[in-house]
Every structure is written in C-alpha cells, then in structure tokens.
Amino acid sequence: MNFMKILGGVALSAALLAAPQARAADAETANPLRIVVTGITDADFIANVFASFLEKQGYKVERVKADYAAQFVGLEAGDMDFSTSIWDTSRDIMDAALATGKVQNMGSTGVKIREGWWYPAYLKEQCPGLPDWKALLEPACVKALSTVETAPKARFVEAPADWTTNNAARLEALKLPFVLEGTGTPAALHATIVGAVQRKEPVIGWGFMPDWMTEQYPGEFVQFPPFEAACATDPKWGGNPDKVWDCDNPYGYVWKVANTQSEKKFPRASRFLRLYHLTAADVAWGIRRIDVDGIDSEKAAEEWLKAHPELAADWAL
C-alpha cells in the first residue's frame, strides 16, 4: 500500500474541507461591521475594545455614533449591527427592542453596574447609620454636609443635567433635606467629589460603577428602598403614598445586543460577541485613561488589549 498517496489524499481532503470555511470567513470580513458608539466614556471603551479585537481578526469595523436611546431604532432597522453597552438601568428600552424580533440579546458583558448616592467611607463618622438612607435625615448629618450656599440644607453633588438620576423626585418623595448642586460635565462631577475626598471633607454625590472614582476611593452607595418597577409609576408604592421614586435606582449588568439579520450575516463575529466579557475594574481602568489621562478611547482600548492577550484569546475560541 502506498502510504504517500494516502497521506496526500488526506491532505487534499483537508484542504477541500477548509476551502469553504476560508471562503465563508473571507466573505464575512469583506463586509463592514457597524458597532454603536454613543460618546459615553464607559460605553465607548467597551465598544472600542471589541471593535479593536474584531479588527485584529480581519474585520472592517465602522464605529457609528448614535444617541443612547436612538441606537435601538438603528439596531431594529439594521443600520447598526452590534451594540456592546446596554445598561440594565434602561432595560425597558432594550426589552421593547427585543420584543420586535429584530434585535437579539447576546448576553451580559459581565460588567456589574450601579449608580446612585455615593459617599466616602469616612462620612459614617458624621452620619452614623449609613448606608441606611434614614441616616441622611439626622440633623448632625445634614449640618455636616451643608455649605454656605445650601444651609440649612445639605449639599448633594448632582450629575450633569442630561443624565437621568431621578433625584429631584427622590428628594420630594423621601423628604430629604438636600439641595442638588449641578455639575456640567462628568469631569466636574469627579473633580468636586474627589477634591472633597482628598481633603477629607464631608461630601455625598452621584456615583456610579464602573468608574475610576468608586474603584479608587473607599466608599459605599446609600441604601434606599429597593427598586421595583411600580416605584417609578405608582405613587401608592412605597412609604410615600403621594409620590413616585421613593426608592433606589435599578442596577445590574451591561448587556450586548445584535440586529437579528446581522447575527446571520456575521456568524463568526456574533460568536465572538457572545464570548466577549470584561469586568467593572477593566472598564474603570479605561474610564481613568480616557477622562483623567486624556487618552483617546480607541487608543485606551488598544492598550488594554495589548495588556490582556489571554482574555482576547478566550473570545476567539
């Protein structure tokens, strides 16, 4: 028996089997793949890490800028293929898109999220009883957190005006003696809170995770009554029968979605998307590089990928 002929036949068969797969991969990478970016630091870092990973796999990636809420219209229409950064706090918008059958849930990124009233750990000295929200009603706590501009009420360092915090309604519903002090940008929000923390001054304000501030400085989130959907719509829910938002904000994870047809058009990339995962600490690192160090989001994503080849290898399995 001629073993060389047999081995040659095996090699030829393998080549024939590989050829259709190679052609399919070439066809998939020949088409531009559109990923949503929103201009939100954490969301765009998550998107750019995945986009950069796909580019290393040979894909032509287009980063398409869209308003956070408006992206779902584009995803349903097929104008965008993937979005990597859907927060559980806007789960109602995501669920409405999934209900159309035109958008597919591709799983969690693994990034845990939380947003709400954040304070440095040392504030418990002035406000014993924290993290229970009722500690914020105590006169000594209110006095410690008051400023010349807000006295006799306490100051709360509020998020930029275009962020949804529900804090104005929460103040009314829970009768919290606080004044919301607005900040114009995320940088101003961070600067105000972090400046006070570095000086060990009493401070409380809008915090969130993933974020470098809540990652770097010891602190906690105030525990309001747990969120339920009825809290946002039914005044009879909760401790105040006349007001909504007598509760905390929802929290959970960051999710990934894809246009249903795009999942069929890009099956290999869709498999990568399902496997794609990060941690809150990873994203906090990216936010710091972008917002504090002034590095471009795409460059920060490239740096992260270079430093974590083992994780990228897991996504390419």
Side-chain angles (χ1 to χ4, degrees):
M1 184 178 291
N2 191 326
F3 288 100
M4 293 304 293
K5 286 186 177 180
I6 293 173
L7 290 172
V10 170
L12 179 60
S13 297
L16 289 172
L17 286 171
Q21 295 176 0
R23 285 196 297 271
D26 289 343
E28 182 169 332
T29 56
N31 295 306
L33 194 157
R34 299 153 299 181
I35 292 180
V36 177
V37 292
T38 60
I40 301 170
T41 304
D42 56 310
D44 286 359
F45 178 73
I46 296 171
N48 279 317
V49 169
F50 188 62
S52 296
F53 165 77
L54 286 181
E55 288 169 338
K56 294 181 187 306
Q57 308 301 313
Y59 288 85
K60 299 175 182 177
V61 178
E62 291 182 4
R63 295 161 174 82
V64 181
K65 179 70 180 292
D67 175 80
Y68 181 82
Q71 69 176 301
F72 291 98
V73 177
L75 285 162
E76 291 174 27
D79 296 329
M80 302 169 194
D81 298 304
F82 296 162
S83 180
T84 58
S85 309
I86 309 300
W87 283 44
D88 243 333
T89 47
S90 56
R91 188 60 187 252
D92 55 337
I93 310 175
M94 174 177 153
D95 287 345
L98 297 177
T100 66
K102 298 176 181 178
V103 178
Q104 179 71 29
N105 186 346
M106 304 299 279
S108 165
T109 61
V111 177
K112 292 182 179 180
I113 59 170
R114 178 87 188 257
E115 56 184 355
W117 288 44
W118 183 90
Y119 61 90
Y122 62 78
L123 185 64
K124 286 184 174 181
E125 296 172 13
Q126 289 84 16
C127 303
L130 283 173
D132 189 315
W133 70 274
K134 292 178 183 176
L136 300 175
L137 301 174
E138 294 299 322
C141 180
V142 174
K143 183 178 180 181
L145 288 166
S146 68
T147 66
V148 173
E149 293 79 14
T150 67
K153 293 185 176 181
R155 176 186 71 159
F156 180 86
V157 184
E158 178 65 303
D162 58 345
W163 293 16
T164 301
T165 66
N166 306 302
N167 280 331
R170 187 171 289 112
L171 290 188
E172 287 191 24
L174 295 175
K175 297 182 168 61
L176 291 164
F178 280 76
V179 174
L180 302 179
E181 182 182 276
T183 52
T185 66
L189 172 67
H190 282 121
T192 304
I193 298 176
V194 170
V197 171
Q198 291 175 340
R199 295 187 297 271
K200 295 290 184 181
E201 296 174 354
V203 67
I204 190 168
W206 191 251
F208 52 94
M209 56 176 292
D211 183 50
W212 64 269
M213 182 183 77
T214 52
E215 186 78 18
Q216 179 174 341
Y217 296 100
E220 296 177 311
F221 287 91
V222 173
Q223 292 179 0
F224 291 106
F227 173 83
E228 291 182 16
C231 173
T233 58
D234 184 2
K236 292 184 177 57
W237 186 99
N240 188 332
D242 301 316
K243 300 288 183 180
V244 295
W245 283 110
D246 45 352
C247 64
D248 212 335
N249 278 50
Y251 50 90
Y253 289 89
V254 178
W255 297 84
K256 305 163 290 189
V257 296
N259 171 269
T260 302
Q261 294 304 313
S262 297
E263 186 179 11
K264 298 173 182 177
K265 184 179 180 180
F266 300 104
R268 186 164 169 261
S270 296
R271 185 171 183 274
F272 294 155
L273 182 60
R274 288 187 181 277
L275 292 172
Y276 177 51
H277 65 279
L278 296 172
T279 67
D282 294 327
V283 182
W285 177 90
I287 294 171
R288 185 179 185 90
R289 288 294 283 150
I290 297 162
D291 284 351
V292 179
D293 299 336
I295 301 298
D296 177 82
S297 182
E298 291 184 36
K299 181 172 176 53
E302 289 284 349
E303 286 182 2
W304 189 92
L305 275 173
K306 187 175 181 180
H308 298 85
E310 73 289 349
L311 286 180
D314 288 344
W315 309 334
L317 291 176

mmCIF file of all heavy atoms in Angstrom, residues 157-201:
data_model
loop_
_atom_site.group_PDB
_atom_site.id
_atom_site.type_symbol
_atom_site.label_atom_id
_atom_site.label_comp_id
_atom_site.label_asym_id
_atom_site.label_seq_id
_atom_site.Cartn_x
_atom_site.Cartn_y
_atom_site.Cartn_z
ATOM 1 N N VAL A 157 -23.976 66.582 45.455
ATOM 2 C CA VAL A 157 -23.284 66.890 44.199
ATOM 3 C C VAL A 157 -23.947 66.079 43.092
ATOM 4 O O VAL A 157 -23.747 64.859 42.985
ATOM 5 C CB VAL A 157 -21.780 66.579 44.302
ATOM 6 C CG1 VAL A 157 -21.078 66.994 43.011
ATOM 7 C CG2 VAL A 157 -21.164 67.297 45.498
ATOM 8 N N GLU A 158 -24.762 66.763 42.286
ATOM 9 C CA GLU A 158 -25.594 66.103 41.278
ATOM 10 C C GLU A 158 -24.823 65.865 39.980
ATOM 11 O O GLU A 158 -23.842 66.559 39.661
ATOM 12 C CB GLU A 158 -26.833 66.964 41.019
ATOM 13 C CG GLU A 158 -27.789 66.442 39.949
ATOM 14 C CD GLU A 158 -28.459 65.124 40.308
ATOM 15 O OE1 GLU A 158 -27.734 64.146 40.570
ATOM 16 O OE2 GLU A 158 -29.711 65.060 40.298
ATOM 17 N N ALA A 159 -25.283 64.892 39.224
ATOM 18 C CA ALA A 159 -24.708 64.561 37.921
ATOM 19 C C ALA A 159 -25.033 65.663 36.909
ATOM 20 O O ALA A 159 -25.884 66.522 37.158
ATOM 21 C CB ALA A 159 -25.275 63.229 37.445
ATOM 22 N N PRO A 160 -24.364 65.656 35.746
ATOM 23 C CA PRO A 160 -24.711 66.625 34.694
ATOM 24 C C PRO A 160 -26.193 66.570 34.348
ATOM 25 O O PRO A 160 -26.846 65.519 34.489
ATOM 26 C CB PRO A 160 -23.846 66.163 33.516
ATOM 27 C CG PRO A 160 -22.653 65.527 34.163
ATOM 28 C CD PRO A 160 -23.193 64.836 35.384
ATOM 29 N N ALA A 161 -26.731 67.685 33.870
ATOM 30 C CA ALA A 161 -28.181 67.831 33.675
ATOM 31 C C ALA A 161 -28.763 66.841 32.678
ATOM 32 O O ALA A 161 -29.946 66.490 32.758
ATOM 33 C CB ALA A 161 -28.497 69.262 33.237
ATOM 34 N N ASP A 162 -27.964 66.378 31.713
ATOM 35 C CA ASP A 162 -28.510 65.464 30.701
ATOM 36 C C ASP A 162 -28.472 64.002 31.138
ATOM 37 O O ASP A 162 -28.804 63.108 30.368
ATOM 38 C CB ASP A 162 -27.787 65.639 29.354
ATOM 39 C CG ASP A 162 -26.289 65.411 29.454
ATOM 40 O OD1 ASP A 162 -25.750 65.396 30.580
ATOM 41 O OD2 ASP A 162 -25.644 65.256 28.403
ATOM 42 N N TRP A 163 -28.058 63.732 32.390
ATOM 43 C CA TRP A 163 -28.099 62.378 32.934
ATOM 44 C C TRP A 163 -29.422 62.179 33.673
ATOM 45 O O TRP A 163 -29.931 63.091 34.323
ATOM 46 C CB TRP A 163 -26.955 62.137 33.904
ATOM 47 C CG TRP A 163 -25.596 62.126 33.282
ATOM 48 C CD1 TRP A 163 -25.238 62.601 32.046
ATOM 49 C CD2 TRP A 163 -24.393 61.640 33.887
ATOM 50 N NE1 TRP A 163 -23.891 62.444 31.847
ATOM 51 C CE2 TRP A 163 -23.348 61.852 32.959
ATOM 52 C CE3 TRP A 163 -24.088 61.068 35.111
ATOM 53 C CZ2 TRP A 163 -22.025 61.497 33.229
ATOM 54 C CZ3 TRP A 163 -22.776 60.711 35.393
ATOM 55 C CH2 TRP A 163 -21.759 60.911 34.455
ATOM 56 N N THR A 164 -29.971 60.993 33.602
ATOM 57 C CA THR A 164 -31.207 60.684 34.319
ATOM 58 C C THR A 164 -30.867 60.101 35.681
ATOM 59 O O THR A 164 -30.319 58.998 35.771
ATOM 60 C CB THR A 164 -32.063 59.685 33.526
ATOM 61 O OG1 THR A 164 -32.375 60.246 32.249
ATOM 62 C CG2 THR A 164 -33.349 59.366 34.263
ATOM 63 N N THR A 165 -31.166 60.855 36.752
ATOM 64 C CA THR A 165 -30.876 60.372 38.105
ATOM 65 C C THR A 165 -32.128 60.154 38.946
ATOM 66 O O THR A 165 -32.084 59.431 39.941
ATOM 67 C CB THR A 165 -29.974 61.374 38.854
ATOM 68 O OG1 THR A 165 -30.708 62.598 39.052
ATOM 69 C CG2 THR A 165 -28.699 61.667 38.068
ATOM 70 N N ASN A 166 -33.219 60.825 38.576
ATOM 71 C CA ASN A 166 -34.481 60.776 39.343
ATOM 72 C C ASN A 166 -34.344 61.398 40.731
ATOM 73 O O ASN A 166 -35.187 61.157 41.607
ATOM 74 C CB ASN A 166 -34.982 59.318 39.470
ATOM 75 C CG ASN A 166 -35.096 58.640 38.126
ATOM 76 O OD1 ASN A 166 -35.806 59.094 37.248
ATOM 77 N ND2 ASN A 166 -34.372 57.546 37.953
ATOM 78 N N ASN A 167 -33.312 62.200 40.945
ATOM 79 C CA ASN A 167 -33.054 62.722 42.291
ATOM 80 C C ASN A 167 -34.038 63.802 42.727
ATOM 81 O O ASN A 167 -34.377 63.883 43.913
ATOM 82 C CB ASN A 167 -31.627 63.249 42.386
ATOM 83 C CG ASN A 167 -30.629 62.123 42.597
ATOM 84 O OD1 ASN A 167 -30.966 61.096 43.175
ATOM 85 N ND2 ASN A 167 -29.413 62.311 42.122
ATOM 86 N N ALA A 168 -34.500 64.648 41.801
ATOM 87 C CA ALA A 168 -35.458 65.683 42.188
ATOM 88 C C ALA A 168 -36.725 65.038 42.747
ATOM 89 O O ALA A 168 -37.261 65.461 43.785
ATOM 90 C CB ALA A 168 -35.791 66.578 40.992
ATOM 91 N N ALA A 169 -37.199 63.997 42.083
ATOM 92 C CA ALA A 169 -38.389 63.279 42.560
ATOM 93 C C ALA A 169 -38.089 62.545 43.862
ATOM 94 O O ALA A 169 -38.939 62.472 44.767
ATOM 95 C CB ALA A 169 -38.865 62.291 41.500
ATOM 96 N N ARG A 170 -36.868 62.012 43.978
ATOM 97 C CA ARG A 170 -36.499 61.264 45.189
ATOM 98 C C ARG A 170 -36.447 62.187 46.411
ATOM 99 O O ARG A 170 -36.866 61.790 47.504
ATOM 100 C CB ARG A 170 -35.154 60.575 44.956
ATOM 101 C CG ARG A 170 -34.724 59.629 46.063
ATOM 102 C CD ARG A 170 -33.497 58.813 45.670
ATOM 103 N NE ARG A 170 -33.835 57.820 44.665
ATOM 104 C CZ ARG A 170 -33.396 57.847 43.399
ATOM 105 N NH1 ARG A 170 -32.595 58.815 42.985
ATOM 106 N NH2 ARG A 170 -33.763 56.916 42.548
ATOM 107 N N LEU A 171 -35.956 63.404 46.235
ATOM 108 C CA LEU A 171 -35.925 64.357 47.340
ATOM 109 C C LEU A 171 -37.328 64.629 47.865
ATOM 110 O O LEU A 171 -37.565 64.669 49.081
ATOM 111 C CB LEU A 171 -35.296 65.688 46.895
ATOM 112 C CG LEU A 171 -33.795 65.730 46.595
ATOM 113 C CD1 LEU A 171 -33.358 67.164 46.381
ATOM 114 C CD2 LEU A 171 -32.985 65.092 47.695
ATOM 115 N N GLU A 172 -38.265 64.831 46.945
ATOM 116 C CA GLU A 172 -39.647 65.100 47.346
ATOM 117 C C GLU A 172 -40.279 63.894 48.023
ATOM 118 O O GLU A 172 -40.932 64.002 49.055
ATOM 119 C CB GLU A 172 -40.471 65.504 46.126
ATOM 120 C CG GLU A 172 -40.173 66.895 45.598
ATOM 121 C CD GLU A 172 -41.207 67.321 44.564
ATOM 122 O OE1 GLU A 172 -42.332 66.788 44.596
ATOM 123 O OE2 GLU A 172 -40.883 68.178 43.737
ATOM 124 N N ALA A 173 -40.093 62.733 47.406
ATOM 125 C CA ALA A 173 -40.770 61.533 47.899
ATOM 126 C C ALA A 173 -40.286 61.132 49.290
ATOM 127 O O ALA A 173 -41.082 60.696 50.137
ATOM 128 C CB ALA A 173 -40.554 60.385 46.922
ATOM 129 N N LEU A 174 -38.979 61.281 49.546
ATOM 130 C CA LEU A 174 -38.419 60.839 50.819
ATOM 131 C C LEU A 174 -38.173 61.995 51.789
ATOM 132 O O LEU A 174 -37.614 61.783 52.865
ATOM 133 C CB LEU A 174 -37.110 60.070 50.573
ATOM 134 C CG LEU A 174 -37.277 58.753 49.795
ATOM 135 C CD1 LEU A 174 -35.927 58.135 49.493
ATOM 136 C CD2 LEU A 174 -38.155 57.769 50.561
ATOM 137 N N LYS A 175 -38.584 63.226 51.335
ATOM 138 C CA LYS A 175 -38.439 64.415 52.178
ATOM 139 C C LYS A 175 -36.997 64.596 52.669
ATOM 140 O O LYS A 175 -36.734 64.863 53.852
ATOM 141 C CB LYS A 175 -39.405 64.360 53.360
ATOM 142 C CG LYS A 175 -40.873 64.374 52.945
ATOM 143 C CD LYS A 175 -41.772 64.359 54.175
ATOM 144 C CE LYS A 175 -43.225 64.662 53.844
ATOM 145 N NZ LYS A 175 -43.875 63.773 52.957
ATOM 146 N N LEU A 176 -36.072 64.454 51.755
ATOM 147 C CA LEU A 176 -34.659 64.595 52.085
ATOM 148 C C LEU A 176 -34.275 66.076 52.095
ATOM 149 O O LEU A 176 -34.524 66.788 51.122
ATOM 150 C CB LEU A 176 -33.802 63.848 51.048
ATOM 151 C CG LEU A 176 -33.907 62.318 51.094
ATOM 152 C CD1 LEU A 176 -33.354 61.712 49.815
ATOM 153 C CD2 LEU A 176 -33.165 61.774 52.313
ATOM 154 N N PRO A 177 -33.675 66.575 53.172
ATOM 155 C CA PRO A 177 -33.328 67.997 53.283
ATOM 156 C C PRO A 177 -32.022 68.328 52.555
ATOM 157 O O PRO A 177 -31.031 68.725 53.174
ATOM 158 C CB PRO A 177 -33.201 68.194 54.798
ATOM 159 C CG PRO A 177 -32.727 66.864 55.301
ATOM 160 C CD PRO A 177 -33.365 65.832 54.410
ATOM 161 N N PHE A 178 -32.029 68.157 51.236
ATOM 162 C CA PHE A 178 -30.830 68.358 50.425
ATOM 163 C C PHE A 178 -31.107 69.322 49.282
ATOM 164 O O PHE A 178 -32.241 69.419 48.794
ATOM 165 C CB PHE A 178 -30.346 67.028 49.833
ATOM 166 C CG PHE A 178 -29.561 66.181 50.793
ATOM 167 C CD1 PHE A 178 -30.199 65.463 51.800
ATOM 168 C CD2 PHE A 178 -28.180 66.094 50.694
ATOM 169 C CE1 PHE A 178 -29.483 64.681 52.686
ATOM 170 C CE2 PHE A 178 -27.453 65.312 51.580
ATOM 171 C CZ PHE A 178 -28.098 64.602 52.572
ATOM 172 N N VAL A 179 -30.061 70.019 48.851
ATOM 173 C CA VAL A 179 -30.081 70.842 47.646
ATOM 174 C C VAL A 179 -29.216 70.148 46.601
ATOM 175 O O VAL A 179 -28.082 69.739 46.898
ATOM 176 C CB VAL A 179 -29.532 72.260 47.919
ATOM 177 C CG1 VAL A 179 -29.415 73.048 46.619
ATOM 178 C CG2 VAL A 179 -30.415 72.988 48.918
ATOM 179 N N LEU A 180 -29.750 70.000 45.385
ATOM 180 C CA LEU A 180 -28.981 69.374 44.306
ATOM 181 C C LEU A 180 -28.079 70.420 43.665
ATOM 182 O O LEU A 180 -28.556 71.369 43.051
ATOM 183 C CB LEU A 180 -29.925 68.773 43.255
ATOM 184 C CG LEU A 180 -30.919 67.718 43.764
ATOM 185 C CD1 LEU A 180 -31.801 67.251 42.611
ATOM 186 C CD2 LEU A 180 -30.194 66.538 44.402
ATOM 187 N N GLU A 181 -26.788 70.248 43.812
ATOM 188 C CA GLU A 181 -25.816 71.173 43.216
ATOM 189 C C GLU A 181 -25.351 70.573 41.893
ATOM 190 O O GLU A 181 -24.641 69.571 41.859
ATOM 191 C CB GLU A 181 -24.635 71.382 44.156
ATOM 192 C CG GLU A 181 -23.600 72.366 43.628
ATOM 193 C CD GLU A 181 -22.423 72.501 44.573
ATOM 194 O OE1 GLU A 181 -22.525 73.292 45.522
ATOM 195 O OE2 GLU A 181 -21.407 71.804 44.360
ATOM 196 N N GLY A 182 -25.763 71.192 40.790
ATOM 197 C CA GLY A 182 -25.479 70.642 39.475
ATOM 198 C C GLY A 182 -24.014 70.717 39.089
ATOM 199 O O GLY A 182 -23.284 71.614 39.522
ATOM 200 N N THR A 183 -23.583 69.773 38.283
ATOM 201 C CA THR A 183 -22.247 69.792 37.671
ATOM 202 C C THR A 183 -22.439 69.675 36.169
ATOM 203 O O THR A 183 -23.266 68.892 35.700
ATOM 204 C CB THR A 183 -21.369 68.649 38.186
ATOM 205 O OG1 THR A 183 -22.072 67.399 38.034
ATOM 206 C CG2 THR A 183 -21.011 68.841 39.645
ATOM 207 N N GLY A 184 -21.678 70.434 35.402
ATOM 208 C CA GLY A 184 -21.911 70.495 33.968
ATOM 209 C C GLY A 184 -21.382 69.329 33.174
ATOM 210 O O GLY A 184 -21.907 68.998 32.111
ATOM 211 N N THR A 185 -20.350 68.663 33.695
ATOM 212 C CA THR A 185 -19.697 67.582 32.951
ATOM 213 C C THR A 185 -19.301 66.460 33.892
ATOM 214 O O THR A 185 -19.205 66.675 35.115
ATOM 215 C CB THR A 185 -18.426 68.090 32.244
ATOM 216 O OG1 THR A 185 -17.465 68.474 33.262
ATOM 217 C CG2 THR A 185 -18.722 69.266 31.325
ATOM 218 N N PRO A 186 -19.024 65.257 33.363
ATOM 219 C CA PRO A 186 -18.511 64.187 34.227
ATOM 220 C C PRO A 186 -17.211 64.592 34.923
ATOM 221 O O PRO A 186 -16.991 64.244 36.088
ATOM 222 C CB PRO A 186 -18.286 63.025 33.251
ATOM 223 C CG PRO A 186 -19.246 63.272 32.142
ATOM 224 C CD PRO A 186 -19.301 64.767 31.995
ATOM 225 N N ALA A 187 -16.360 65.350 34.222
ATOM 226 C CA ALA A 187 -15.094 65.789 34.825
ATOM 227 C C ALA A 187 -15.352 66.695 36.027
ATOM 228 O O ALA A 187 -14.680 66.582 37.067
ATOM 229 C CB ALA A 187 -14.242 66.510 33.791
ATOM 230 N N ALA A 188 -16.345 67.584 35.917
ATOM 231 C CA ALA A 188 -16.681 68.477 37.026
ATOM 232 C C ALA A 188 -17.271 67.697 38.195
ATOM 233 O O ALA A 188 -16.997 67.996 39.370
ATOM 234 C CB ALA A 188 -17.653 69.549 36.553
ATOM 235 N N LEU A 189 -18.089 66.703 37.891
ATOM 236 C CA LEU A 189 -18.662 65.840 38.927
ATOM 237 C C LEU A 189 -17.546 65.159 39.712
ATOM 238 O O LEU A 189 -17.513 65.190 40.952
ATOM 239 C CB LEU A 189 -19.585 64.804 38.288
ATOM 240 C CG LEU A 189 -20.129 63.695 39.198
ATOM 241 C CD1 LEU A 189 -21.074 64.273 40.240
ATOM 242 C CD2 LEU A 189 -20.831 62.618 38.372
ATOM 243 N N HIS A 190 -16.611 64.548 38.976
ATOM 244 C CA HIS A 190 -15.492 63.865 39.621
ATOM 245 C C HIS A 190 -14.635 64.848 40.422
ATOM 246 O O HIS A 190 -14.237 64.559 41.556
ATOM 247 C CB HIS A 190 -14.619 63.168 38.574
ATOM 248 C CG HIS A 190 -15.187 61.897 38.074
ATOM 249 N ND1 HIS A 190 -15.469 61.670 36.745
ATOM 250 C CD2 HIS A 190 -15.555 60.762 38.713
ATOM 251 C CE1 HIS A 190 -15.966 60.463 36.585
ATOM 252 N NE2 HIS A 190 -16.026 59.888 37.776
ATOM 253 N N ALA A 191 -14.340 65.998 39.821
ATOM 254 C CA ALA A 191 -13.456 66.961 40.473
ATOM 255 C C ALA A 191 -14.036 67.446 41.795
ATOM 256 O O ALA A 191 -13.320 67.583 42.802
ATOM 257 C CB ALA A 191 -13.193 68.146 39.544
ATOM 258 N N THR A 192 -15.340 67.694 41.815
ATOM 259 C CA THR A 192 -15.980 68.193 43.030
ATOM 260 C C THR A 192 -15.947 67.159 44.149
ATOM 261 O O THR A 192 -15.591 67.465 45.293
ATOM 262 C CB THR A 192 -17.436 68.609 42.745
ATOM 263 O OG1 THR A 192 -17.453 69.578 41.700
ATOM 264 C CG2 THR A 192 -18.091 69.195 43.980
ATOM 265 N N ILE A 193 -16.314 65.934 43.827
ATOM 266 C CA ILE A 193 -16.349 64.889 44.859
ATOM 267 C C ILE A 193 -14.944 64.481 45.279
ATOM 268 O O ILE A 193 -14.627 64.409 46.474
ATOM 269 C CB ILE A 193 -17.150 63.666 44.364
ATOM 270 C CG1 ILE A 193 -18.608 64.052 44.089
ATOM 271 C CG2 ILE A 193 -17.087 62.542 45.398
ATOM 272 C CD1 ILE A 193 -19.453 62.936 43.505
ATOM 273 N N VAL A 194 -14.072 64.218 44.296
ATOM 274 C CA VAL A 194 -12.720 63.753 44.610
ATOM 275 C C VAL A 194 -11.938 64.820 45.372
ATOM 276 O O VAL A 194 -11.178 64.514 46.296
ATOM 277 C CB VAL A 194 -11.978 63.336 43.326
ATOM 278 C CG1 VAL A 194 -10.497 63.077 43.606
ATOM 279 C CG2 VAL A 194 -12.618 62.080 42.739
ATOM 280 N N GLY A 195 -12.133 66.099 45.007
ATOM 281 C CA GLY A 195 -11.460 67.170 45.729
ATOM 282 C C GLY A 195 -11.820 67.154 47.202
ATOM 283 O O GLY A 195 -10.951 67.283 48.080
ATOM 284 N N ALA A 196 -13.100 66.968 47.485
ATOM 285 C CA ALA A 196 -13.550 66.906 48.878
ATOM 286 C C ALA A 196 -12.992 65.670 49.581
ATOM 287 O O ALA A 196 -12.585 65.735 50.748
ATOM 288 C CB ALA A 196 -15.079 66.904 48.931
ATOM 289 N N VAL A 197 -12.970 64.547 48.866
ATOM 290 C CA VAL A 197 -12.445 63.308 49.458
ATOM 291 C C VAL A 197 -10.968 63.466 49.802
ATOM 292 O O VAL A 197 -10.512 63.050 50.883
ATOM 293 C CB VAL A 197 -12.655 62.116 48.495
ATOM 294 C CG1 VAL A 197 -11.924 60.875 49.004
ATOM 295 C CG2 VAL A 197 -14.144 61.811 48.345
ATOM 296 N N GLN A 198 -10.207 64.059 48.913
ATOM 297 C CA GLN A 198 -8.775 64.233 49.175
ATOM 298 C C GLN A 198 -8.514 65.164 50.358
ATOM 299 O O GLN A 198 -7.507 65.028 51.046
ATOM 300 C CB GLN A 198 -8.088 64.745 47.912
ATOM 301 C CG GLN A 198 -8.039 63.711 46.801
ATOM 302 C CD GLN A 198 -7.475 64.249 45.495
ATOM 303 O OE1 GLN A 198 -7.443 65.464 45.268
ATOM 304 N NE2 GLN A 198 -7.029 63.350 44.629
ATOM 305 N N ARG A 199 -9.471 66.079 50.607
ATOM 306 C CA ARG A 199 -9.337 66.976 51.761
ATOM 307 C C ARG A 199 -10.034 66.406 53.003
ATOM 308 O O ARG A 199 -10.066 67.045 54.058
ATOM 309 C CB ARG A 199 -9.944 68.347 51.425
ATOM 310 C CG ARG A 199 -9.204 69.093 50.319
ATOM 311 C CD ARG A 199 -9.751 70.511 50.155
ATOM 312 N NE ARG A 199 -11.150 70.538 49.734
ATOM 313 C CZ ARG A 199 -11.563 70.529 48.466
ATOM 314 N NH1 ARG A 199 -10.661 70.490 47.483
ATOM 315 N NH2 ARG A 199 -12.854 70.557 48.168
ATOM 316 N N LYS A 200 -10.600 65.206 52.856
ATOM 317 C CA LYS A 200 -11.321 64.534 53.945
ATOM 318 C C LYS A 200 -12.517 65.346 54.436
ATOM 319 O O LYS A 200 -12.875 65.333 55.623
ATOM 320 C CB LYS A 200 -10.393 64.224 55.121
ATOM 321 C CG LYS A 200 -9.290 63.229 54.811
ATOM 322 C CD LYS A 200 -9.854 61.828 54.615
ATOM 323 C CE LYS A 200 -8.749 60.818 54.407
ATOM 324 N NZ LYS A 200 -9.292 59.444 54.195
ATOM 325 N N GLU A 201 -13.173 66.064 53.535
ATOM 326 C CA GLU A 201 -14.349 66.854 53.878
ATOM 327 C C GLU A 201 -15.617 66.005 53.717
ATOM 328 O O GLU A 201 -15.670 65.119 52.852
ATOM 329 C CB GLU A 201 -14.450 68.075 52.962
ATOM 330 C CG GLU A 201 -13.307 69.061 53.122
ATOM 331 C CD GLU A 201 -13.354 70.179 52.093
ATOM 332 O OE1 GLU A 201 -14.214 70.119 51.184
ATOM 333 O OE2 GLU A 201 -12.526 71.099 52.204
#
